[in-house]
Amino acid sequence: MRRSRISPQGLLGMGGITLSLFLLFSGAGRAEEGAAKPVVGTSTATQAAFPAGGGNAPRPLESTSMEDLLLEKGVISLDDWIRIKAEDERRQSERSVVAEFTGSPRWYDRLTMYGYGMMRFNRLGNPDGKIRSYQDSSMGDQASGAQPGFFFRRIRWVVTGQISEHVSVFIQPDLASNISGNTHALSMRDAFGDWNFDKDKEYRLRVGLQRVPCSFDNWQASRVRMAIDRADGTNSCANSERDMGVAFMWSPKIAQQRYKQMLDYMYGPGDYGVFHIQIYNGQGLNQQEANGNKHVGARLSWPWELPGGRLMETGVNAMSGKFRVSNGTPSNGSFATLGSSFDGAASGNNGKDYMDQRVNFYVYFPPQPFGFIAEYTTGRGPKRGLDGVIRDSPLDGWYAQLHYQWKYSDVGLANFYSRYQQYQGGLKFQTGAPDDKMKEVETGIAWQPDPQWEFTVAHAWMDRRNTFNTAGGRQFDADGHLVRLQAIWFWN
């Protein structure tokens, strides 16, 4: 991270007026020891109180009289104040980690826990209720196979910690998975260990169930993302964004600091490496490997610091492998599938592996207070045609999102966003690899009145090709609009 325009040494070497003011006010602060200190409400540093990252949920920082006084007097800018806070938090975090694994001989004392719950309600506005989305089982009506009503989208419970100087762990089960109609089934989402080669943690080896290189949308945690669901085009790469594999990551110290600042204050995804290479099974989350082929994925990214201290991230993700499509259960000599209906034996679909390749480009400008995200994905993958035959086919998708953050108090904020997305290509992890052709505009407000709560209301206008129910083995298109309500509560 670039140094603040005024360093601590520079502050101590300033003129006598500034030093006198500091001594006067700091002495007054000691006289009022125990009194609550107000946090500067106009800064984004107070967002550290919000669970906005992929690791341990950040805690609010205590303001020191020096930084607050200098900001109030106009000696330093708001950007300088934010950077000083971020650097102070980083040092405190590193000291805390060291104390954890040196202060107790018991490994379980070094673990921490946090989590969140996410509940939704949807109201579809098309006349026949046949709009469906593979990402949300409640969208649509019961006649079209949906499960409408209130439902839990996610209930996550994270156990993580620095076990030793070189080893850290991260385990995240989900208590609200939908498995064979059971909407509250337990499943594993993350379970990996990190080996840090050096004390600065620039070089890491990650082994286990983890996110795979697909897109920025997939790196970003669900509790951080403003839009209700991930975009179809970027999310078509991997079922639930995860798989079993081994990854190597490299992040220089300056990149770690910028990733952390975006994680704590600007809803970034966290540090997944400036360079990241991974070998994984390729069949998706909690799925057994179906062939001897392994997928290979890679990522290159960089967190930039722009003039004025603003941050942004750009990058590219790529992956390649062979994917085996599920044909469903045979019925009367043909394959009855959820996503399509075709004669697997006649078409030669049964037991085939298909080319699975993606390349993704992204740019992320955090809300400061305005921001945007844009991603483009292209490649090849399996897709069922109108004749019922699955073939290697091209795919193409992108989305662009504008957002604005309004901080109206020390703890309250609201994120306003609008996103357009489109995708045309197969859904490899759906039975029969149906064709997913869609366009959608979503506009919403994600309101956090308190660090432990977030309420989102969103309205989407969409034109989607139905990937579930079919008529005579043929898919159909449906359009309409959807009002969605979501509540998230965090514990940490």
Side-chain angles (χ1 to χ4, degrees):
M1 182 182 298
R2 181 171 63 84
R3 290 182 176 274
S4 302
R5 290 189 289 273
I6 301 179
S7 65
Q9 291 81 2
L11 293 176
L12 293 176
M14 294 182 66
I17 296 177
T18 303
L19 181 59
S20 300
L21 287 171
F22 161 63
L23 294 175
L24 175 62
F25 278 79
S26 62
R30 286 192 297 271
E32 299 175 2
E33 186 174 358
K37 296 182 180 180
V39 178
V40 179
T42 58
S43 76
T44 57
T46 54
Q47 292 175 26
F50 293 80
N56 286 335
R59 294 182 293 271
L61 293 173
E62 269 193 42
S63 299
T64 62
S65 56
M66 182 170 68
E67 289 101 358
D68 290 352
L69 173 62
L70 294 174
L71 176 64
E72 181 182 347
K73 298 300 180 183
V75 178
I76 63 174
S77 68
L78 179 59
D79 294 330
D80 291 326
W81 189 89
I82 293 172
R83 285 196 292 271
I84 292 171
K85 292 298 183 184
E87 181 63 20
D88 181 59
E89 185 190 43
R90 183 187 64 80
R91 289 194 297 266
Q92 290 183 27
S93 176
E94 289 182 352
R95 287 195 296 267
S96 175
V97 167
V98 172
E100 281 180 2
F101 68 76
T102 58
S104 173
R106 298 179 296 272
W107 63 267
Y108 49 83
D109 287 340
R110 306 164 207 148
L111 296 175
T112 59
M113 293 189 294
Y114 68 93
Y116 67 99
M118 179 186 293
M119 192 175 78
R120 285 187 189 168
F121 179 79
N122 298 331
R123 181 68 178 178
L124 196 59
N126 68 321
D128 55 14
K130 291 183 178 180
I131 290 182
R132 296 295 311 279
S133 167
Y134 72 92
Q135 302 204 57
D136 191 336
S137 62
S138 73
M139 187 184 297
D141 55 27
Q142 287 181 319
S144 65
Q147 299 170 348
F150 291 105
F151 76 108
F152 279 117
R153 179 65 175 86
R154 296 173 179 90
I155 303 177
R156 303 289 172 84
W157 195 301
V158 175
V159 179
T160 185
Q162 187 79 25
I163 303 303
S164 69
E165 184 176 2
H166 293 285
V167 178
S168 58
V169 298
F170 188 92
I171 299 173
Q172 180 178 218
D174 185 14
L175 287 75
S177 297
N178 189 331
I179 301 177
S180 300
N182 183 354
T183 58
H184 297 146
L186 176 65
S187 68
M188 189 61 70
R189 294 291 157 172
D190 297 276
F192 59 80
D194 280 359
W195 172 264
N196 304 302
F197 289 83
D198 59 317
K199 66 177 182 179
D200 290 332
K201 302 178 183 177
E202 292 189 350
Y203 302 91
R204 289 174 288 156
L205 182 69
R206 178 166 294 178
V207 178
L209 183 61
Q210 57 186 296
R211 294 179 187 268
V212 301
C214 279
S215 65
F216 177 88
D217 206 21
N218 285 20
W219 292 122
Q220 195 176 41
S222 301
R223 64 184 177 277
V224 178
R225 187 182 62 254
M226 297 180 196
I228 291 285
D229 281 318
R230 291 180 171 88
D232 282 36
T234 53
N235 199 224
S236 67
C237 176
N239 185 20
S240 297
E241 306 87 51
R242 297 162 172 90
D243 212 321
M244 285 289 297
V246 179
F248 172 79
M249 288 170 275
W250 169 71
S251 293
K253 201 68 176 176
I254 187 172
Q256 292 182 38
Q257 294 169 4
R258 291 174 183 173
Y259 283 135
K260 180 167 176 51
Q261 185 174 345
M262 285 195 288
L263 174 75
D264 289 348
Y265 309 131
M266 302 174 185
Y267 306 97
D271 182 4
Y272 287 93
V274 168
F275 171 72
H276 180 124
I277 186 167
Q278 186 175 149
I279 301 174
Y280 57 101
N281 286 338
Q283 287 298 124
L285 177 70
N286 298 329
Q287 298 293 321
Q288 294 181 351
E289 177 64 303
N291 52 40
N293 177 266
K294 293 294 179 286
H295 279 56
V296 178
R299 146 188 161 116
L300 285 174
S301 72
W302 187 254
W304 306 89
E305 184 171 4
L306 305 177
R310 301 303 193 227
L311 295 177
M312 69 177 295
E313 181 180 338
T314 60
V316 57
N317 299 276
M319 50 79 71
S320 179
K322 294 281 189 177
F323 187 86
R324 183 163 298 180
V325 176
S326 171
N327 288 331
T329 304
S331 175
N332 298 326
S334 64
F335 284 84
T337 73
L338 183 64
S340 59
S341 178
F342 58 90
D343 187 341
S347 63
N349 290 327
N350 194 17
K352 283 189 64 176
D353 295 330
Y354 298 88
M355 184 64 68
D356 185 21
Q357 295 178 327
R358 303 281 199 288
V359 61
N360 161 267
F361 304 92
Y362 73 86
V363 56
Y364 172 57
F365 189 78
Q368 303 171 97
F370 289 97
F372 65 88
I373 313 174
E375 292 201 65
Y376 172 72
T377 297
T378 186
R380 297 188 67 84
K383 183 181 77 172
R384 173 188 178 270
L386 293 177
D387 57 359
V389 179
I390 302 174
R391 299 180 177 89
D392 292 326
S393 305
L395 58 88
D396 184 90
W398 63 276
Y399 75 90
Q401 174 180 306
L402 298 175
H403 45 247
Y404 172 78
Q405 184 176 99
W406 173 38
K407 269 198 64 64
Y408 60 87
S409 73
D410 290 348
V411 297
L413 61 83
N415 285 307
F416 302 82
Y417 72 90
S418 184
R419 181 184 71 177
Y420 173 81
Q421 63 158 317
Q422 67 179 46
Y423 175 63
Q424 184 166 356
L427 288 181
K428 63 182 182 182
F429 44 78
Q430 289 270 115
T431 306
D435 181 12
D436 181 22
K437 183 178 180 181
M438 58 83 66
K439 295 180 181 180
E440 180 179 282
V441 176
E442 179 181 321
T443 300
I445 304 172
W447 172 45
Q448 291 187 355
D450 178 272
Q452 307 307 125
W453 282 95
E454 180 179 271
F455 301 94
T456 300
V457 56
H459 194 176
W461 296 264
M462 60 188 69
D463 183 355
R464 285 182 171 271
R465 178 159 296 173
N466 197 302
T467 61
F468 289 89
N469 293 38
T470 60
R474 295 184 180 275
Q475 296 178 246
F476 57 88
D477 296 336
D479 62 85
H481 62 94
L482 180 71
V483 176
R484 315 178 79 179
L485 306 175
Q486 178 174 278
I488 309 177
W489 64 94
F490 309 93
W491 59 86
N492 50 61

